Amino acid sequence: MSFFGMDCVRKKEREVERKLRANDRDYNLSFKYATNAIKTSKYNPFTFLPLNLFEQFQRIANAYFLFLLVLQVIPQISSLSWFTTVVPLVLVLSVTALKDATDDINRHRSDNQVNNRKVQVLIDRKLRSEKWMDVQVGDIIKLENNQFVTADLLLLSSSEPLNLVYIETAELDGETNLKVRQALTVTGDLGDDIEKLADFNGEVLCEPPNNRLDRFTGTLTYAGQKYPLDNEKILLRGCTLRNTEWCFGLVLFGGPETKLMQNCGKTTFKRTSIDRLMNFLVICIFAFLAFMCIILAIGNYVWELNEGSHFTVFLPRQDDNAAGFSAFLTFWSYVIILNTVVPISLYVSVEIIRLGNSFYIEWDRKMYYARKDTPAEARTTTLNEELGQIKYIFSDKTGTLTQNIMIFNKCSINGKSYGDVYDYMGQRLEINEHTDTVDFSFNPLADPRFMFHDHALVEAVKLENPEVHAFFRLLALCHTVMAEEKKEGEIFYQAQSPDEGALVTAARNFGFVFRSRTPDSVSIVEMGRQRSYELLAILDFNNVRKRMSVIVRSPEGKLSVYCKGADTIIYERLHQSCSKLMDVTTEHLNEFAGDGLRTLALAYKDLDEEYFNQWKQRHHEASTEMDDRESKLDQLYEEIEKDLLLLGATAIEDKLQDGVPQTIEQLSKADIKIWVLTGDKQETAENIGYSCNLLREEMNDVFIVSGNSSEDVRQELRNARTSMKPDVVEDSVFLSERTLGKSVKVVMDEVANGEYGLVINGHSLAYALERSTELEFLKTACMCKAVICCRVTPLQKAQVVELVKKYKQAVTLAIGDGANDVSMIKAAHIGVGISGQEGMQAVLSSDYSFAQFRFLERLLLVHGRWSYLRMCKFLRYFFYKNFTFTFVHFWYAFFCGFSAQTVYDEWFITLYNLMYTALPVLGMSLFDQDVNDVWSFQHPQLYVPGQLNLYFSKKAFFKCALHSGYSSMVLFFIPYAAMYDTVRDDGKDVADYQSFALLTQTCLLFAVSIQLGFEMSYWTAVNTFFVLGSLAMYFAVTFTMYSNGMFLALPSAFPFIGTARNSLNQPNIWLTILLTSILCVLPVVTYRFLLIQLCPSINDKVMFKVRQAKAAPPPPTRRTRIRRTSSRRSGYAFSHAQGYGDLVTSGRFLRRPAVRSSGFTHVGRTTTGFSPMGRSAGYSPTGRPQTAKVPDVEVTSLQMYRTIRDPAL
């Protein structure tokens, strides 16, 4: 990467495959691979000025003002001084450049902070501390615990047994659970021996740089042998090393070629739809300006031929110029005079308004997250009004909608449901932060962060209920969690999925503490007694089995298989004696699913020793088979996992962020469509879809698209469309839209017959995004109320956003929190980053950031809507006041011989936009609001006009131009007629040019000020001061400039001596001002009155409601937790991965010995720290009614559904 930030002139050939040799920089440098330095900034000191000016002059208006400046330095055609244009132009360019420079300096700082991090690199047979930016491909580097991975590495060796490392990939995929990577044995033997590592000269041949996070292919050639490389041996930049003292890795890709940076997407210059419309309108205005100037030039030509010859006696022509040349000069003179149709102050004002509205976002205390001291941040100031026009939101799931925290919420054991809290009347209470929690002080090893509210369950544990004990024993044994005990009694669990961690933590708190494991044993503490179970087999989870089992031998020698999994799968394998219990548990499962919880069923059975030995022998034979190994093992698993006995079910809450369901409901009412794009599995994403109110039971249908070919996917999408709208016409979905000469094919919105949802997984989405299928996918998805895309890659997220942008005339917003969301955030019109626990990659690439998803509601429905409303009012009014100002010149031209004389005093022209009308319109644009934030939330439909561009569009602009044309005629002809042949009350003449100019400009200022008053919905002290102060300023400046003293000081600059005091003391002048003001605003008042009476908008209706309320609006309805009554259950609750059982039993997870607590003794002995059991242990049952014994349930000999005799009865 060059210092100047520019690529080399000779473009690098596209890489087909990567070759590199360890510890050989000279060899690797010959391929010119990228170094490890990253660059997200746009400029450097040398390129800033030319690049920034080039970008700014792409804005048509800036180029136009530069052209005007050139015209104004030509004395023959300039009737205004050159500095009237150059000063504001330089000001605008400087302010914008300063803002761009500040943003880029922050990006440079961020880059420097990352590039200057230190890492140990093996150079010249020594470990040296080097900056990240100096690391090169082929270097061997050493990483230590909790360090970020420097570049994309091939793992060589580690401090852990079997060369394992544990990494956290939150920066990449938003998942906080640990993942395991393992080095090749041949490189693992190098260990941390620096001499051996320095002698390592292996050659890697692998794929070129790409953005696939889940795949890697390559080979390592070392000592004459070839070894295959896959994703399990690669550490990606952005990961963090955890629970591993050290590891060594070989750099494969650096800097911009790492998968993290490849997924960042291209930074594009974002413009709002109003900016794009403004560019179009400015072109139209220029065309109209040229048209007016041509008319006036023709008028000058005709006038010169007919009348001009009579004036040559008094004004001889220079160089005897002909009428044609005079008309040519007049054309350019009027271009300068009429340039105020697009004054440069428009763009200065727009920047100020955007900056002000950005500060409102940052200052909003209701978007401040106190727990993490994180305020909302407007990282871009140019997109505020676009927030009021969002139609599609693309959201990540993990960390954005959810907290990625799993909570053990409820359970069903032996037909009894636990987890709900009841009052003394038997009514279920809503659980909140004030609800009493269970006291786990009886258990010294309990996790203090775990909370549970139903005291009945802990009572059942203390009363030694055998089924409850069996339930938690299963949770403590059947898992692949690793335990780490750094201090005595302080246990930390490392789970490969947060679900497993939640279940093991629940068992821990209820007295069944998982303490440690070896490849062939699991040690747990059962109610204070240390027990070690022999681990005989793990029947691992996979996506087909949807369950996992362990076979263990208890200290007493009893063999058991414990199984947990999807309830539908477990139910098929239960003993027939469990049929009654199944019915009761099913009811509980339905209740849990109705609350949006993720459910699992638990079952077990005891095994016969002889049978197990035979099964184990067959299992060993099957596991060593070369052919058809998987299916043979599956058959054996099926055989032993039958005739199970049901223990109960668990219900885990995938903890949503606060307020997510309510936010989604509000945004849906605002007619915003929400698509969730997640890397999670389908069942998990669907569960969250239901729990956050995105998918609802009331929907007519939720379509699942899971085709494995392009044709299958197309047919599934077509079937879904037909179901939603049977009479759909294929050819009616396109609308050809022309924007600035470009023809764009737009997919029209279709209305479905009902409400529908769409769920599509990653491999099907790949087919759906193909060119032949993308329109079918888009048309189907846009008819649905909610869309969920599962197992999607970061690139696919961006492709979905680009697809909607391409074919829909709609504004898109993407929101996420991880590095895997960066490409989506950059692709959308507006990107929002959640500053959560998954790092800052998303925030650094975003336009806006805050800490909680719920703040999005306020960002859009309040700040976005107000910003859009203010900007539209500003533009409508600004064009009105400047068109009116300018068109008066046009009418005056017919009365001044088309001589390019100005109708106003030159000082008034200079100060009109700068002083007399600047502050009032800025006051309206910064403080105006139709209704306050509470009413905005109560009526989210107020957001819809923004999506439809109703406040400012080509039509609204045309109306504004017509209104200006009418007002300019009134402002010219009424004063002209009033002053024609008029004398003062003392008989002196008042009908001179200077008096007419003063009257016209005074009428203009009063008319536009009154019009501003009609535009304003919300008057504040500041607004009132600006409007009245500007009028007062006008009179103060006018009387000062038209005074004798100013004329005597500079006669040529202040020629209007005494005009103000001579004119403004006449009653007929003030009557004329009154008449013109009334005539200017009368049509507006009439039109608005009729519009509100005959066709009121949603704003009119709500504002009328507010006026009726008179006092403060009613308090918002208390947000209660949204509960669903549903029969839907999770197919499988875990975000689990296959293969962890093999790791556990192979010993690869084996850690250093955990600290042993001296407080725990062998079987049968209780610890001194353990409290007595039973009622005396602290809690008596609450007023909660006990679940009655289900009638007609047979007590099985297996005692799986025994009746508990309550001593209180």
Side-chain angles (χ1 to χ4, degrees):
M1 187 173 298
S2 69
F3 175 72
F4 297 99
M6 293 180 286
D7 294 325
C8 299
V9 177
R10 185 173 62 82
K11 196 171 181 181
K12 186 179 173 183
E13 292 179 12
R14 189 176 177 188
E15 202 174 332
V16 180
E17 62 181 10
R18 171 151 297 203
K19 296 179 183 175
L20 61 103
R21 186 181 297 153
N23 293 313
D24 194 341
R25 281 195 169 185
D26 293 336
Y27 174 80
N28 298 324
L29 282 171
S30 65
F31 296 103
K32 297 181 180 174
Y33 296 140
T35 65
N36 200 41
I38 61 162
K39 174 178 172 291
T40 59
S41 54
K42 288 165 69 176
Y43 314 108
N44 64 39
F46 300 98
T47 61
F48 175 73
L49 203 58
L51 276 180
N52 189 261
L53 286 175
F54 175 73
E55 281 181 3
Q56 291 204 58
F57 281 115
Q58 284 184 324
R59 184 179 272 172
I60 295 169
N62 286 347
Y64 165 67
F65 291 121
L66 186 65
F67 173 66
L68 269 184
L69 182 61
V70 174
L71 288 181
Q72 283 184 311
V73 297
I74 303 172
Q76 286 85 351
I77 60 175
S78 178
S79 53
L80 290 171
S81 303
W82 60 271
F83 58 79
T84 58
T85 298
V86 77
V87 172
L89 179 61
V90 168
L91 181 68
V92 170
L93 296 177
S94 302
V95 169
T96 309
L98 185 66
K99 185 170 67 69
D100 291 344
T102 305
D103 290 345
D104 210 57
I105 287 168
N106 290 334
R107 284 191 285 265
H108 271 288
R109 283 178 182 157
S110 173
D111 290 347
N112 291 336
Q113 184 185 354
V114 173
N115 288 333
N116 289 314
R117 286 176 180 164
K118 293 297 183 77
V119 67
Q120 295 185 72
V121 185
L122 185 58
I123 300 175
D124 297 333
R125 312 185 80 84
K126 291 181 182 176
L127 279 176
R128 295 183 184 172
S129 181
E130 295 282 336
K131 293 178 180 177
W132 276 28
M133 62 191 293
D134 297 327
V135 172
Q136 295 182 15
V137 171
D139 287 351
I140 291 178
I141 64 176
K142 180 183 181 181
L143 296 176
E144 294 179 343
N145 195 29
N146 296 324
Q147 275 190 343
F148 285 110
V149 177
T150 310
D152 288 357
L153 309 177
L154 168 64
L155 179 62
L156 296 179
S157 62
S158 89
S159 58
E160 302 304 294
L162 294 163
N163 303 305
L164 292 174
V165 296
Y166 303 91
I167 56 170
E168 186 181 277
T169 59
E171 284 277 358
L172 290 172
D173 54 20
E175 294 181 12
T176 52
N177 46 289
L178 296 188
K179 295 181 174 60
V180 180
R181 296 290 183 265
Q182 185 179 23
L184 290 166
T185 308
V186 65
T187 60
D189 293 341
L190 301 172
D192 59 347
D193 188 325
I194 301 301
E195 290 300 319
K196 285 184 181 177
L197 287 163
D199 291 333
F200 179 69
N201 62 351
E203 292 190 12
V204 174
L205 181 67
C206 66
E207 62 187 23
N210 60 73
N211 57 14
R212 289 292 300 272
L213 295 171
D214 58 341
R215 177 177 71 79
F216 179 84
T217 53
T219 55
L220 169 69
T221 306
Y222 178 56
Q225 296 288 320
K226 278 192 175 182
Y227 304 92
L229 303 177
D230 57 24
N231 209 40
E232 297 303 309
K233 296 168 181 61
I234 304 299
L235 304 182
L236 298 181
R237 179 177 180 139
C239 299
T240 308
L241 198 66
R242 298 288 191 211
N243 301 330
T244 308
E245 272 190 31
W246 54 260
C247 74
F248 285 87
L250 172 66
V251 178
L252 302 180
F253 303 107
E257 294 176 342
T258 58
K259 290 185 186 278
L260 174 69
M261 297 303 291
Q262 292 275 312
N263 268 298
C264 279
K266 189 179 178 184
T267 302
T268 55
F269 180 62
K270 293 182 178 182
R271 278 197 178 98
T272 66
S273 54
I274 283 184
D275 270 339
R276 293 189 290 272
L277 177 61
M278 284 274 290
N279 268 353
F280 173 76
L281 293 179
V282 166
I283 291 172
C284 294
I285 292 168
F286 291 161
F288 184 62
L289 174 64
F291 174 69
M292 286 196 297
C293 292
I294 289 168
I295 290 176
L296 297 177
I298 293 170
N300 178 267
Y301 177 78
V302 173
W303 190 87
E304 287 286 346
L305 288 178
N306 297 331
E307 305 289 336
S309 56
H310 303 312
F311 283 84
T312 54
V313 178
F314 305 104
L315 293 169
R317 296 189 184 285
Q318 291 180 352
D319 305 325
D320 197 27
N321 289 337
F325 186 65
S326 172
F328 174 74
L329 293 179
T330 300
F331 173 84
W332 293 111
S333 296
Y334 271 112
V335 166
I336 295 171
I337 286 174
L338 301 179
N339 80 77
T340 46
V341 283
V342 187
I344 198 162
S345 60
L346 169 68
Y347 289 95
V348 180
S349 303
V350 165
E351 292 300 324
I352 292 171
I353 293 164
R354 285 173 170 166
L355 189 64
N357 285 315
S358 297
F359 281 132
Y360 289 155
I361 292 170
E362 295 186 346
W363 293 339
D364 192 341
R365 290 186 179 183
K366 293 180 181 175
M367 293 173 68
Y368 169 71
Y369 191 53
R371 195 179 301 170
K372 292 191 176 178
D373 189 28
T374 309
E377 185 182 1
R379 298 173 55 81
T380 305
T381 59
T382 55
L383 302 172
N384 296 331
E385 65 270 16
E386 196 99 308
L387 291 168
Q389 297 182 277
I390 303 298
K391 182 67 178 175
Y392 290 90
I393 291 176
F394 300 93
S395 174
D396 178 40
K397 182 192 75 69
T398 307
T400 304
L401 298 177
T402 67
Q403 300 179 32
N404 202 26
I405 297 172
M406 303 295 172
I407 294 176
F408 181 83
N409 197 295
K410 297 179 183 178
C411 62
S412 170
I413 306 176
N414 194 36
K416 185 174 178 179
S417 177
Y418 298 95
D420 286 320
V421 178
Y422 294 83
D423 62 15
Y424 289 98
M425 302 295 292
Q427 298 294 314
R428 184 159 71 167
L429 299 175
E430 183 187 347
I431 292 174
N432 55 42
E433 63 270 18
H434 304 298
T435 308
D436 286 341
T437 57
V438 171
D439 181 7
F440 290 108
S441 58
F442 71 89
N443 181 359
L445 292 176
D447 186 339
R449 295 167 298 178
F450 180 84
M451 288 196 297
F452 200 74
H453 300 281
D454 187 356
H455 299 280
L457 184 54
V458 78
E459 283 297 323
V461 171
K462 290 176 179 179
L463 291 170
E464 301 188 9
N465 182 318
E467 284 75 33
V468 173
H469 278 209
F471 180 90
F472 286 115
R473 186 178 295 114
L474 186 152
L475 293 181
L477 293 171
C478 184
H479 56 79
T480 56
V481 172
M482 299 300 299
E484 188 173 16
E485 194 169 353
K486 292 181 178 176
K487 287 184 183 177
E488 188 175 308
E490 285 188 18
I491 303 172
F492 297 94
Y493 292 143
Q494 301 293 349
Q496 65 105 355
S497 75
D499 315 64
E500 283 223 296
L503 293 174
V504 176
T505 301
R508 167 184 176 178
N509 275 59
F510 283 102
F512 289 76
V513 185
F514 166 60
R515 198 76 186 273
S516 64
R517 77 177 332 130
T518 67
D520 52 11
S521 72
V522 177
S523 295
I524 66 173
V525 178
E526 291 186 7
M527 303 303 286
R529 293 176 301 165
Q530 182 82 29
R531 290 167 64 84
S532 180
Y533 287 80
E534 186 181 353
L535 181 62
L536 301 169
I538 291 183
L539 316 186
D540 204 6
F541 165 87
N542 66 36
N543 284 319
V544 178
R545 283 168 44 76
K546 293 189 178 180
R547 64 189 184 280
M548 76 164 288
S549 300
V550 293
I551 301 173
V552 295
R553 192 193 308 273
S554 71
E556 294 79 22
K558 184 174 160 188
L559 278 173
S560 303
V561 55
Y562 291 108
C563 182
K564 68 181 181 189
D567 48 83
T568 49
I569 301 293
I570 299 292
Y571 276 18
E572 293 169 4
R573 290 158 178 79
L574 292 179
H575 191 273
Q576 58 187 11
S577 62
C578 297
S579 58
K580 298 289 184 181
L581 179 56
M582 280 169 58
D583 295 339
V584 180
T585 307
T586 301
E587 287 180 22
H588 295 158
L589 284 166
N590 291 340
E591 284 178 24
F592 300 157
D595 289 335
L597 304 177
R598 302 164 69 157
T599 57
L600 279 180
L602 311 184
Y604 90 118
K605 76 170 180 180
D606 294 330
L607 296 175
D608 176 65
E609 186 77 42
E610 186 180 340
Y611 165 75
F612 175 71
N613 289 333
Q614 294 174 359
W615 182 89
K616 190 176 181 182
Q617 178 62 35
R618 286 182 289 141
H619 179 266
H620 177 72
E621 291 169 1
S623 61
T624 53
E625 284 281 346
M626 295 302 292
D627 299 324
D628 208 19
R629 181 189 302 173
E630 293 297 325
S631 64
K632 289 180 179 176
L633 284 172
D634 281 342
Q635 287 174 11
L636 283 168
Y637 292 170
E638 286 286 344
E639 178 188 319
I640 204 165
E641 291 174 328
K642 65 182 182 184
D643 292 336
L644 299 171
L645 302 166
L646 184 60
L647 272 173
T650 62
I652 291 177
E653 181 182 0
D654 188 353
K655 189 79 172 162
L656 290 173
Q657 287 193 13
D658 295 338
V660 166
Q662 294 88 348
T663 300
I664 288 176
E665 186 179 26
Q666 282 284 84
L667 295 175
S668 296
K669 286 179 183 175
D671 202 27
I672 297 173
K673 295 188 176 180
I674 301 173
W675 294 20
V676 173
L677 312 178
T678 176
D680 250 333
K681 58 199 284 289
Q682 183 176 315
E683 290 89 344
T684 309
E686 277 187 68
N687 277 344
I688 292 300
Y690 278 100
S691 59
C692 72
N693 227 30
L694 191 64
L695 300 176
R696 294 191 300 277
E697 285 296 320
E698 306 86 68
M699 284 184 167
N700 299 55
D701 199 358
V702 176
F703 303 108
I704 310 290
V705 177
S706 55
N708 290 311
S709 70
S710 184
E711 191 53 47
D712 289 348
V713 171
R714 190 184 294 110
Q715 191 58 49
E716 287 181 28
L717 291 169
R718 198 170 287 138
N719 293 342
R721 278 185 70 216
T722 308
S723 300
M724 288 188 280
K725 195 172 183 182
D727 55 343
V728 67
V729 180
E730 285 296 320
D731 300 330
S732 66
V733 292
F734 288 118
L735 178 70
S736 188
E737 182 88 13
R738 293 188 71 82
T739 309
L740 295 178
K742 296 178 185 175
S743 183
V744 183
K745 192 185 276 187
V746 177
V747 177
M748 292 169 60
D749 281 328
E750 295 178 85
V751 181
N753 302 332
E755 283 193 357
Y756 296 88
L758 177 72
V759 178
I760 182 169
N761 56 37
H763 62 267
S764 300
L765 185 62
Y767 295 117
L769 292 173
E770 289 177 356
R771 189 173 290 275
S772 59
T773 322
E774 62 180 12
L775 282 173
E776 192 71 47
F777 168 61
L778 183 65
K779 288 181 278 187
T780 306
C782 289
M783 289 173 73
C784 296
K785 194 76 175 170
V787 178
I788 297 178
C789 303
C790 324
R791 288 292 188 205
V792 293
T793 64
L795 183 64
Q796 283 178 325
K797 290 185 177 186
Q799 287 173 332
V800 171
V801 176
E802 292 286 2
L803 180 65
V804 174
K805 280 176 66 179
K806 183 178 177 183
Y807 290 112
K808 302 291 287 186
Q809 289 292 93
V811 182
T812 58
L813 179 146
I815 180 168
D817 68 323
N820 58 330
D821 303 313
V822 168
S823 53
M824 169 176 79
I825 284 170
K826 287 185 175 180
H829 291 105
I830 290 179
V832 177
I834 300 282
S835 47
Q837 54 186 353
E838 280 77 28
M840 296 294 286
Q841 285 288 335
V843 170
L844 292 174
S845 304
S846 66
D847 304 307
Y848 299 89
S849 69
F850 40 71
Q852 293 279 290
F853 181 84
R854 70 175 186 273
F855 297 150
L856 184 64
E857 176 187 8
R858 189 167 181 84
L859 182 71
L860 300 187
L861 301 189
V862 177
H863 291 289
R865 199 179 67 81
W866 282 351
S867 296
Y868 173 69
L869 186 69
R870 289 165 182 164
M871 184 60 73
C872 292
K873 277 191 175 185
F874 166 78
L875 292 172
R876 286 201 309 263
Y877 176 74
F878 204 93
F879 280 126
Y880 165 76
K881 78 181 179 69
N882 281 286
F883 282 5
T884 306
F885 173 85
T886 307
F887 288 167
V888 174
H889 282 300
F890 181 79
W891 306 122
Y892 181 63
F894 290 90
F895 294 84
C896 71
F898 304 97
S899 61
Q901 183 184 15
T902 57
V903 72
Y904 313 114
D905 169 24
E906 193 170 286
W907 282 106
F908 180 79
I909 294 172
T910 307
L911 298 175
Y912 177 71
N913 281 311
L914 192 66
M915 186 181 291
Y916 301 148
T917 60
L919 288 178
V921 71
L922 279 178
M924 177 186 73
S925 309
L926 290 172
F927 303 114
D928 198 43
Q929 49 182 261
D930 50 354
V931 295
N932 64 23
D933 54 346
V934 177
W935 285 98
S936 296
F937 287 139
Q938 288 184 349
H939 298 275
Q941 304 86 351
L942 286 167
Y943 191 82
V944 174
Q947 297 170 334
L948 304 175
N949 288 310
L950 295 184
Y951 294 148
F952 188 72
S953 59
K954 294 171 190 173
K955 183 180 175 183
F957 173 77
F958 182 67
K959 283 181 184 174
C960 174
L962 284 179
H963 182 204
S964 299
Y966 164 79
S967 295
S968 66
M969 290 177 73
V970 170
L971 287 166
F972 176 77
F973 287 105
I974 296 295
Y976 177 80
M979 294 194 74
Y980 192 72
D981 287 340
T982 303
V983 293
R984 289 160 47 92
D985 50 11
D986 59 2
K988 293 181 181 177
D989 190 11
V990 78
D992 60 281
Y993 161 71
Q994 291 187 348
S995 299
F996 173 71
L998 175 67
L999 175 58
T1000 309
Q1001 63 199 36
T1002 308
C1003 289
L1004 170 71
L1005 205 58
F1006 270 94
V1008 297
S1009 297
I1010 294 169
Q1011 179 65 34
L1012 180 76
F1014 281 117
E1015 289 288 343
M1016 206 119 55
S1017 305
Y1018 185 68
W1019 283 86
T1020 65
V1022 177
N1023 289 38
T1024 310
F1025 174 74
F1026 281 171
V1027 173
L1028 298 179
S1030 294
L1031 286 171
M1033 179 68 72
Y1034 165 70
F1035 286 110
V1037 171
T1038 301
F1039 276 100
T1040 303
M1041 287 187 172
Y1042 295 178
S1043 66
N1044 297 358
M1046 297 300 286
F1047 174 76
L1048 292 172
L1050 274 171
S1052 59
F1054 302 102
F1056 279 51
I1057 179 173
T1059 306
R1061 63 177 181 269
N1062 288 338
S1063 297
L1064 294 176
N1065 62 357
Q1066 299 301 306
N1068 61 337
I1069 296 292
W1070 288 103
L1071 287 171
T1072 305
I1073 293 170
L1074 179 63
L1075 179 62
T1076 50
S1077 300
I1078 291 171
L1079 287 175
C1080 279
V1081 300
L1082 193 60
V1084 180
V1085 174
T1086 308
Y1087 173 73
R1088 292 191 181 177
F1089 174 77
L1090 292 173
L1091 197 66
I1092 290 172
Q1093 295 301 317
L1094 303 176
C1095 187
S1097 66
I1098 178 71
N1099 293 64
D1100 296 328
K1101 292 174 183 174
V1102 176
M1103 287 170 76
F1104 177 70
K1105 226 175 183 180
V1106 174
R1107 282 193 294 272
Q1108 278 188 319
K1110 296 205 177 176
T1117 50
R1118 183 168 171 270
R1119 286 185 173 180
T1120 55
R1121 175 175 171 145
I1122 295 174
R1123 292 181 54 82
R1124 295 185 301 109
T1125 52
S1126 162
S1127 58
R1128 190 187 168 281
R1129 293 203 297 280
S1130 161
Y1132 190 70
F1134 275 23
S1135 48
H1136 221 300
Q1138 184 175 353
Y1140 274 77
D1142 292 339
L1143 274 174
V1144 170
T1145 52
S1146 68
R1148 296 179 192 175
F1149 267 108
L1150 184 60
R1151 321 232 355 114
R1152 287 174 297 285
V1155 178
R1156 279 284 163 265
S1157 168
S1158 58
F1160 287 99
T1161 54
H1162 294 291
V1163 178
R1165 303 273 302 277
T1166 59
T1167 66
T1168 54
F1170 206 86
S1171 303
M1173 302 295 164
R1175 302 282 167 150
S1176 60
Y1179 283 98
S1180 60
T1182 63
R1184 158 198 172 131
Q1186 298 290 325
T1187 308
K1189 179 177 182 290
V1190 179
D1192 303 324
V1193 177
E1194 297 176 9
V1195 179
T1196 66
S1197 58
L1198 298 162
Q1199 296 184 323
M1200 279 308 300
Y1201 196 67
R1202 73 170 70 171
T1203 306
I1204 305 300
R1205 191 181 299 276
D1206 193 329
L1209 296 177

